[in-house]
């Protein structure tokens, strides 16, 4: 059945049952016709992986609410190219993630990847994360989601728009900041253990968190100023500043030609 209300796709990486996703759905439901297509289990740090070597299964949990036994990227792909292919959403929102997606986290985040895949496919998208290690109080985040999505739906958005939003946990933010990606580190620990049969196994991922003091960054806004960060992202990864340096390299036996865009 057609609807004059804007269609909104919701996904995440914590699973279709998560509290953050429930909050996100509640926040945007008054604003449009909501469809949920989310993983059937937690997929944190799944990054932008897509399932090419096995079949995927879609289960209808209830009306306009589906779980997928795949990655967050799979969910966006199936939503855009199968479930909603005849009437694509006006906006895609992902989250609310149970934890931060600041700085370099966007390279690993399934939450951001779900939004990024939608933007790749031509639907503007916003990823939301609550910066907390628990307990998780999603109510302030839900209020910000509604305000931002309301404004976004009132605008003619570019099809490949991608926003990464981080909301500080444990406080009522007094505002938001338009930011750029910061830099942080969780340490580089590798913990070696041994199983009962004497075989070694390893846990990766450090626990020593620190972020650089970079004015205007998402880390500074959220962690130091206790404000929401809204970071516009794009897909162009070319290091343009490195091109002149590489142009000075000389490879024996090969001639360097100018690119068509030079």
């Amino acid at each position: 059945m057609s609807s004059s209300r804007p269609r909104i796709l919701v996904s995440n990486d914590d699973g279709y049952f998560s509290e953050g996703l429930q909050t996100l759905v509640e926040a945007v439901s008054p604003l449009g016709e909501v469809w949920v297509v989310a993983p059937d289990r937690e997929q944190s740090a799944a990054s932008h992986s897509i399932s090419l070597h096995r079949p995927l299964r879609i289960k209808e949990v209830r009306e306009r609410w589906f779980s997928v036994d795949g990655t967050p990227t799979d969910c966006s792909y199936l939503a855009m190219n199968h479930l909603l292919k005849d009437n694509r959403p006006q906006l895609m929102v992902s989250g609310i993630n149970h934890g931060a997606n600041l700085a370099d986290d966007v390279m690993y985040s399934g939450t951001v990847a779900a939004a990024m895949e939608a933007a790749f496919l031509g639907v503007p998208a916003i990823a939301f994360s609550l910066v907390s290690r628990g307990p998780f109080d999603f109510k302030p985040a839900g209020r910000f989601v509604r305000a931002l999505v309301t404004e976004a739906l009132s605008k003619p958005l570019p099809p490949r728009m991608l926003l990464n939003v981080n909301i500080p946990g444990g406080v009522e933010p007094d505002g938001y900041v338009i930011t750029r990606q910061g830099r942080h580190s969780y340490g580089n620990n590798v913990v070696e253990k041994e199983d009962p049969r004497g075989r070694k196994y390893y846990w990766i991922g450090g626990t020593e968190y620190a972020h650089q003091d970079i004015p205007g960054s998402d880390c500074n806004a959220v962690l130091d100023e206790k404000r929401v960060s809204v970071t516009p992202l794009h897909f162009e990864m070319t290091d343009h500043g490195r091109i002149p340096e590489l142009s000075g390299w000389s490879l024996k036996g090969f001639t360097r030609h100018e690119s068509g865009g030079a």
Side-chain angles (χ1 to χ4, degrees):
M1 184 174 66
S2 62
S3 172
S4 60
R5 306 177 74 207
R7 180 169 282 189
I8 303 169
L9 172 64
V10 177
S11 192
N12 73 345
D13 74 354
D14 289 309
Y16 74 94
F17 47 80
S18 74
E19 183 182 357
L21 184 134
Q22 298 279 351
T23 302
L24 184 54
V25 170
E26 291 171 8
V28 301
S29 287
L31 309 177
E33 179 191 271
V34 173
W35 288 70
V36 175
V37 184
D40 67 351
R41 69 201 72 181
E42 184 179 346
Q43 294 277 349
S44 296
S47 188
H48 209 105
S49 59
I50 192 166
S51 300
L52 298 178
H53 303 293
R54 69 174 184 87
L56 295 167
R57 299 188 185 275
I58 302 173
K59 178 181 178 181
E60 186 170 6
V61 178
R62 55 179 180 269
E63 185 181 10
R64 300 199 305 269
W65 197 301
F66 300 86
S67 68
V68 177
D69 67 338
T71 68
T73 301
D74 293 333
C75 293
S76 286
Y77 189 95
L78 287 172
M80 298 296 177
N81 295 321
H82 178 62
L83 293 169
L84 303 177
K85 66 179 181 180
D86 296 325
N87 185 10
R88 282 187 164 189
Q90 184 174 330
L91 183 70
M92 187 275 185
V93 291
S94 180
I96 301 169
N97 191 60
H98 294 232
N101 277 311
L102 297 162
D104 302 330
D105 292 342
V106 301
M107 301 298 294
Y108 304 98
S109 167
T111 301
V112 175
M116 184 178 290
E117 182 66 15
F120 271 157
L121 296 173
V123 173
I126 309 174
F128 293 96
S129 301
L130 180 64
V131 182
S132 174
R133 295 191 175 186
F136 294 98
D137 178 6
F138 287 97
K139 291 189 290 293
R143 288 191 286 273
F144 186 82
V145 166
R146 184 170 296 176
L148 181 59
V149 172
T150 298
E151 180 68 7
L153 289 172
S154 73
K155 305 291 185 184
L157 301 176
R160 301 189 76 180
M161 182 194 82
L162 176 60
L163 303 181
N164 184 39
V165 177
N166 282 272
I167 301 112
V171 297
E172 188 71 50
D174 69 354
Y176 67 97
V177 184
I178 309 300
T179 57
R180 60 192 179 106
Q181 280 181 265
R183 286 186 180 174
H184 65 186
S185 170
Y186 295 102
N188 299 298
N189 295 341
V190 176
V191 178
E192 182 181 274
K193 298 284 187 178
E194 191 172 282
D195 69 18
R197 296 184 178 181
R199 296 172 300 189
K200 289 184 169 57
Y201 64 93
Y202 302 88
W203 286 100
I204 65 173
T207 58
E208 300 174 1
Y209 181 84
H211 71 272
Q212 293 185 22
D213 180 9
I214 301 176
S217 69
D218 51 6
C219 295
N220 279 31
V222 175
L223 301 173
D224 297 339
E225 301 164 16
K226 304 303 180 185
R227 292 179 176 137
V228 178
S229 70
V230 179
T231 309
L233 303 177
H234 63 75
F235 314 118
E236 168 63 77
M237 298 182 70
T238 305
D239 185 351
H240 292 277
R242 194 72 58 193
I243 291 176
E245 176 187 334
L246 288 173
S247 297
W249 289 21
S250 178
L251 277 63
K252 187 175 180 179
F254 291 89
T255 301
R256 185 179 68 84
H257 299 274
E258 296 297 334
S259 66

